[in-house]
Amino acid sequence: ADLLAMQGYVIYGWDVEWEMTNSGMAKEEPEDVVKKIQNALSGSGKGIKTKKKDKVIVLMHDTMFRNSTGGKKKLEQLIEQLSQAGFKFDFVSNY
């Protein structure tokens, strides 16, 4: 990572992962992911904390969001719940 950084590359990790099954479906409900994000930001999660204060990167795999499996609806629910809780979304380049 240090060598890449010295070459001008920017490396991002994630703070929270929306876990998925081997078949590509979400393991967790949107409410669970919101709780994981809140715990990471407050530092009260199981060893989970964010790299930068008041910012969180969430890893989500696009295969989870197929409309045929109901994943699209879960993503919409997550965005709605986070928006209602006052979270803002931004590009990783502004991290």
Side-chain angles (χ1 to χ4, degrees):
D2 291 337
L3 180 60
L4 289 171
M6 289 183 343
Q7 298 294 321
Y9 291 92
V10 179
I11 300 171
Y12 299 97
W14 63 88
D15 303 301
V16 172
E17 179 181 3
W18 190 348
E19 297 181 41
M20 69 176 191
T21 64
N22 290 336
S23 62
M25 296 178 66
K27 272 187 182 180
E28 304 160 303
E29 293 300 316
E31 300 80 22
D32 302 321
V33 180
V34 170
K35 179 71 79 178
K36 285 170 74 171
I37 291 168
Q38 291 170 329
N39 287 342
L41 288 168
S42 70
S44 64
K46 298 175 186 173
I48 299 171
K49 63 179 186 170
T50 61
K51 178 79 174 166
K52 287 191 173 184
K53 182 176 173 35
D54 298 328
K55 294 182 185 268
V56 63
I57 294 178
V58 181
L59 174 65
M60 297 183 269
H61 301 278
D62 59 340
T63 56
M64 291 181 1
F65 307 120
R66 293 181 295 243
N67 199 32
S68 61
T69 62
K72 179 183 172 193
K73 183 164 182 66
K74 286 187 178 194
L75 177 59
E76 290 169 344
Q77 290 171 340
L78 177 66
I79 292 169
E80 180 66 26
Q81 289 175 23
L82 290 171
S83 296
Q84 288 178 352
F87 287 91
K88 304 283 188 252
F89 297 85
D90 204 346
F91 294 100
V92 73
S93 59
N94 293 327
Y95 181 71

